[in-house]
Amino acid sequence: MSYELRRRLWAALLILGFFAAWEILCLVLQVSDLVLPRPTQVFATLAARFGILWPHVLQTLWTTMIGFILGVTVGVVIGAAIGVSRTAYDTVYPLLIGFSSIPKVAVVPIFVLWFGSGATPAILTALAMCFFPIVVNIATGLATTEPELEDVLKSLGASRLDILWNVGLPRTMPFFFASLKIAVTFAFVGSVLSETVASNKGIGNVMMTASSNFDVPLVFAGLFLLAALGILLYVAFSLVEARVTGWATRRQGFAAA
């Protein structure tokens, strides 16, 4: 059996062991499902109510991905501007740090006031949550371009745009994909946060309603669905990252040595 297969099997066993320990401890300690439902109760709730939950899953996934795509677009543009312009770095970067320090739960009511309840506040909150990691990593990636290399390219007649497009942005790809995997989880947080406040659809709304009805297994079912969606998107970005930036990734053989 190869090292890679053994490693994956061991990881799967540890995950199953975690859920088994959770189940056993709840049974032994007689923990009420109002406090902490057992995994079997959560999965039973998922199976019984999946038909009802599925439209809410699609709603949350749709608002999250729209906000995420917009956040990535905004983050790449601003990050590129900060990375190539000292003036943009000195003026825009402090403003972004200040904005990112504001708890987004305080921003949701403003979005509701401007755009009303529904999908729009969820999209904007997802955007506000996820774009800052993109900005930081794009700017950091551009900052790694050696000044000597830029001088050589300029002496060969390359413009600043040519250097950015052909050298700077390709070298940011490892940073960019690392930030994507972080940003997509932030986008889910933002979307669900808005749904708990200003929407009658989505997993966030389902969890809020279930909490008010003391339906704790349904609350945990929502958490499990969000975790599953986050993992799937993380794996998808990891696969794309391996194809695009394989040159910048250390091979697993070195880690095993």
Side-chain angles (χ1 to χ4, degrees):
M1 185 183 297
S2 66
Y3 167 79
E4 183 68 17
L5 181 58
R6 284 188 284 111
R7 185 174 66 86
R8 294 183 181 276
L9 287 175
W10 181 241
L13 288 175
L14 287 176
I15 294 172
L16 291 175
F18 168 77
F19 286 107
W22 179 354
E23 182 83 17
I24 292 170
L25 286 174
C26 287
L27 289 172
V28 171
L29 299 177
Q30 297 182 345
V31 179
S32 171
D33 60 1
L34 292 177
V35 177
L36 182 65
R38 302 190 307 275
T40 52
Q41 291 177 304
V42 176
F43 288 122
T45 300
L46 276 173
R49 306 190 188 183
F50 189 75
I52 299 174
L53 291 172
W54 181 243
H56 295 281
V57 172
L58 293 179
Q59 174 72 17
T60 298
L61 184 61
W62 176 76
T63 56
T64 299
M65 293 310 299
I66 295 297
F68 174 71
I69 292 170
L70 293 175
V72 170
T73 304
V74 172
V76 169
V77 172
I78 297 177
I82 291 174
V84 300
S85 172
R86 186 67 188 182
T87 302
Y89 179 87
D90 292 336
T91 56
V92 177
Y93 204 51
L95 295 175
L96 292 177
I97 294 174
F99 178 77
S100 68
S101 302
I102 299 173
K104 298 308 177 285
V105 68
V107 178
V108 175
I110 298 176
F111 290 153
V112 174
L113 181 64
W114 288 347
F115 303 101
S117 61
T120 302
I123 292 172
L124 293 176
T125 308
L127 186 159
M129 289 284 290
C130 75
F131 84 98
F132 188 69
I134 306 292
V135 172
V136 172
N137 281 273
I138 290 292
T140 301
L142 291 174
T144 61
T145 304
E146 298 86 347
E148 297 81 2
L149 178 59
E150 294 184 4
D151 292 338
V152 170
L153 293 173
K154 288 178 181 177
S155 67
L156 294 174
S159 65
R160 294 188 65 179
L161 183 60
D162 292 331
I163 297 173
L164 174 64
W165 183 256
N166 295 299
V167 178
L169 289 179
R171 296 188 66 166
T172 66
M173 287 297 102
F175 299 92
F176 176 63
F177 279 100
S179 65
L180 285 183
K181 293 184 286 188
I182 299 172
V184 72
T185 60
F186 285 179
F188 269 112
V189 172
S191 184
V192 172
L193 175 64
S194 179
E195 288 171 352
T196 61
V197 177
S199 179
N200 57 0
K201 295 181 181 179
I203 296 299
N205 178 261
V206 170
M207 293 171 60
M208 196 68 178
T209 304
S211 177
S212 63
N213 293 327
F214 299 100
D215 192 352
V216 182
L218 183 57
V219 175
F220 274 79
L223 292 175
F224 276 35
L225 286 172
L226 291 174
L229 290 174
I231 291 172
L232 287 175
L233 290 174
Y234 186 97
V235 170
F237 287 132
S238 296
L239 293 175
V240 176
E241 178 185 21
R243 296 284 296 180
V244 176
T245 65
W247 53 270
T249 305
R250 187 174 66 174
R251 290 184 297 175
Q252 293 292 337
F254 292 126

